Amino acid sequence: MKQLLVLAMLLLLSNPSYADKDLYLKAGGYGCAACHGKYAHGGNNVGGNIRGADLAKLNDALANEPTMQLLGPTLDEQQRASLVQYLAELDQYQLIEWQLKDGSNTVTATFTQDRPLQLVIFNSTLQAVSLDLTPIGQSASLTITPYDTQSVELQANQPSYTLTINQQKLVLKKQ
Amino acid sequence: MKLIKPLFNLTLLLWSGWVFADPIIELYKSPTCGCCTEWAQIMEQKGYEVKVHHQSDWSELKQAHGMPPQLQSCHSAIIDGYLIEGHVPEADIARLLKERPANIKGLAAPGMPMHSPGMAKPGEAYKDFDVIAFSEDGLSIYKKY
């Protein structure tokens, strides 16, 4: 038992990299999210989509990107590896972005079934909305406050799905 | 009696300076963020005095001003009792200070809009983002770019 514990400790120490979502949201006090979006999807922010970015790309940005150079010295190797791990985890999903607007609007997106989907939904209206998730086989509903962004993950196993909030519609179709 | 006129003029001068001087901006930012400095420089060019406070966490300040967390950007500024979050253009701040609405606690340009002051290239028009006003009643669009 003691040997197993030591082995587990050694494994943990030899592989310190883990996906660090908290660091992504808080690095430097403002988080990577400030420039790259809450889900690293860009979301019309200056930094753009960085899902799947590797360590070389992160190191290069921290060394050479003028707005990121001050952040560089505050992130050690382990933290950088953990950030990259988190970006890799996000990249396992197919990203589908949906912006909720006022009035009537239909967005159509295609997906493949080889990877799970992550819907990243930005509520750009001034009213909180409640999204019924039963059309994608989830029982809970998702509330999104004004100007907030929330995500929903699903493994698509149907040829199409339709989500509706007020007069806004998202149609997902298998490619 | 001879002293009255100069004293009156001096008082008038001091009073006019107090009334017309741009207010001081108390800027709260992380020491590791470079783009906040760009925004501060634009405000200084417009005649404001910017006092920078380097901190890693000023969330209490945002809470005290009732700023909804989803409007977060990289820096916060306190100007004459209002909270200005992120890369809000100076024109909107000038309008806010002129109109002084009692039902607005502050303005925000959420996230890091690509074409906002401090992020846009010099001389480039501001576009593709909203300035949001927040209050106890909720949010409203203050200006669309």
Side-chain angles (χ1 to χ4, degrees), chain B residues 87-121:
Chain B
H87 294 250
V88 175
E90 189 272 338
D92 301 314
I93 296 166
R95 180 185 145 203
L96 181 76
L97 297 178
K98 187 181 172 192
E99 296 175 354
R100 301 200 60 80
N103 60 344
I104 287 180
K105 291 195 159 188
L107 303 177
M112 210 72 73
M114 202 177 292
H115 306 288
S116 61
M119 305 306 298
K121 290 170 189 156

Side-chain angles (χ1 to χ4, degrees), chain B residues 7-8 12 51 53 66 141:
Chain B
L7 270 175
F8 175 77
L12 196 68
K51 289 187 178 173
H53 305 267
I141 302 284

